[in-house]
Each structure stands twice: as C-alpha cells, then as structure tokens.
Amino acid sequence: PTEDLPDLRDAFMNLGKIIIKAGEVLAKLCDYYVTSRGLPSPSLSETVKTSPCPKARLLHYFPTTNLKTENDSGSDSDSDSEANESNWCGVHCDHGTLTGLCRAMYINENGEVVKNTNPNVGLYILDSQGKETKVNIPEDSLGFQLGQAAQIHSSGVLRATPHYVKAAAGSSYSRNTFAVFLQPHWDTAMDSAVDPYTFGISEKQWKPNMNFGEFTEATIKYFYSTDSEEPMEFGKSQL
C-alpha cells in the first residue's frame, strides 16, 4: 500500500515500537510480581526486550450487514439485545507473552471514522469466574493482555486473558485496531516450575521439552482443529 498510503509504514513501525517499549515496562512489573510469590523470575521483560519475533498486525473486522440474527426468523421484537448481536472474534487466549492493543476505530461504508454508538459492541475479557467485562481503551492509552507463554513461564502465577470481540449484527461499519503480539524467540524453552496441565494448558498444546515454536504450532492446530469435540479450557486468572 506504499503508493496509496505513503505514511503507513513509518506510522506502523513507530507505533509498534512505542507498544513494545510500554510492554517492557509492564513485563518488568510482571517479573517482580512472580518473584514476590516466591517463584523464580520468568524473565518476561528480557523476553520482550530481546526477542526478534514480535508480530504487529492491523486488525480489520468486516461490517456485519449480512449476518443473520435470531430475529431473522420472523419476529419483529427487538427486546432481547443479545438476539441482535454476534461476535467478530470468538473467545480465545493469545499464546504469546503480552499483546499490546490500541483503541479501536470504527469506519463506515464511506471510509469515514464514526463513533460506536452501541454500548455492547467491542472487546470483552473474562475473569477467573467467567464474568465478562467490557474493555474501553481511552484514545490516548494502550491496553495489554497476558498470553499463555507468560502463563507457562510464570508457572501459573500469571494467567492468559480469555477475550473476544462482540459485534452488532446488521451493522454497516467495520472495526479496526492495531495489535502487537510480544512473544518469545522461536527456540525459547517452554519450561515451568509447575505442571502446566494443572493451570489450564491443554495437553494438546504443551509437552515437556517443547520450545516456543513447537508450542505455537501445537496451539494453532488445537485452536483450529475441526476433528475434535473437546471444549477448549482457559486457565483461571489470579490477576
């Protein structure tokens, strides 16, 4: 897109670097918290600072104009707001160390930035009891989520953040945001002082002596498998 958006590359790279720097500070605080619980430092700050493998992505969620809702069956009632909602992204945990997020932008069919007027639309996280909380990132702020690599390297003291993105079915606007996935080097050992199976990591994701690359491949296969009826379980958060 260099010709159409000549400023995109520099803006993309500069914002990504800001998110990584902020992630270093947060990761250092995470290290301190883990050691305060009597466990070895998971060195998350060193991971974020030295890993050559961060992944930055512009995330585009398409308009939901063509999505069908329960009300498409013929009922004219709009009393149940849940019937008019769908998900842009289902519940999942990121598998890296930290994920840095910007405030979402909503864009209409004319390419204009518009305000999201539906209070139910947006990013949701689940706490240790499965309770949903809507996340509203201020315009001048960043949001961070913990990933499963942080969960394993902290021996379960830190827990990955289950999250999803709720849409409004029939909406003509798209949702757009920028995310940086901070993750270990591909060869980093996925070691834990506590068996990861005891804090919600599936045996289909993790095996002893795995490195992060192998963990990534197994996790993607687990998340996107179409031949398994096993429900995905997410570890309960302590933060």
Side-chain angles (χ1 to χ4, degrees):
T2 304
E3 293 183 3
D4 295 327
L5 296 169
D7 297 332
L8 177 61
R9 178 180 174 82
D10 286 343
F12 184 99
M13 296 296 289
N14 290 335
L15 180 55
K17 291 176 182 177
I18 290 172
I19 293 175
I20 291 173
K21 286 295 184 182
E24 290 178 22
V25 176
L26 177 58
K28 188 173 295 185
L29 294 173
C30 289
D31 287 338
Y32 175 79
Y33 178 77
V34 174
T35 57
S36 74
R37 300 289 297 272
L39 288 167
S41 171
S43 300
L44 302 185
S45 57
E46 191 67 17
T47 293
V48 172
K49 184 176 181 179
T50 63
S51 174
C53 304
K55 300 291 190 294
R57 296 192 179 109
L58 292 169
L59 304 178
H60 175 75
Y61 300 90
F62 287 94
T64 57
T65 309
N66 295 325
L67 283 181
K68 294 185 180 298
T69 71
E70 293 176 16
N71 284 349
D72 290 334
S73 61
S75 171
D76 294 329
S77 172
D78 288 326
S79 59
D80 183 1
S81 62
E82 294 297 323
N84 288 320
E85 293 170 355
S86 183
N87 288 341
W88 264 314
C89 182
V91 179
H92 67 286
C93 290
D94 296 339
H95 71 279
T97 302
L98 290 170
T99 302
L101 297 167
C102 294
R103 178 185 176 92
M105 295 175 60
Y106 296 88
I107 299 176
N108 66 17
E109 62 269 30
N110 298 318
E112 301 165 327
V113 177
V114 296
K115 184 178 180 179
N116 171 32
T117 58
N118 188 327
N120 296 323
V121 168
L123 175 66
Y124 285 76
I125 61 173
L126 279 63
D127 68 11
S128 60
Q129 305 303 316
K131 179 183 176 182
E132 298 179 352
T133 299
K134 187 172 185 291
V135 178
N136 295 306
I137 302 175
E139 189 172 353
D140 58 351
S141 302
L142 298 172
F144 282 87
Q145 296 171 163
L146 287 163
Q148 290 180 317
Q151 183 170 334
I152 292 172
H153 286 144
S154 68
S155 302
V157 173
L158 306 174
R159 299 297 174 100
T161 311
H163 59 282
Y164 72 98
V165 180
K166 183 178 289 187
S171 171
S172 61
Y173 56 77
S174 64
R175 181 180 185 272
N176 305 270
T177 189
F178 181 73
V180 179
F181 301 89
L182 306 173
Q183 57 191 34
H185 189 282
W186 201 250
D187 295 331
T188 299
M190 295 299 290
D191 294 336
S192 174
V194 179
D195 188 339
Y197 301 148
T198 65
F199 51 72
I201 301 297
S202 171
E203 63 180 12
K204 294 187 177 181
Q205 294 178 264
W206 184 88
K207 296 288 190 298
N209 302 316
M210 263 189 168
N211 61 33
F212 179 70
E214 294 165 333
F215 175 74
T216 296
E217 292 176 348
T219 297
I220 291 174
K221 183 178 180 180
Y222 172 55
F223 280 177
Y224 291 98
S225 174
T226 58
D227 58 0
S228 174
E229 296 182 357
E230 175 190 346
M232 282 184 281
E233 299 290 343
F234 300 112
K236 292 185 177 181
S237 175
Q238 293 186 3
L239 289 181

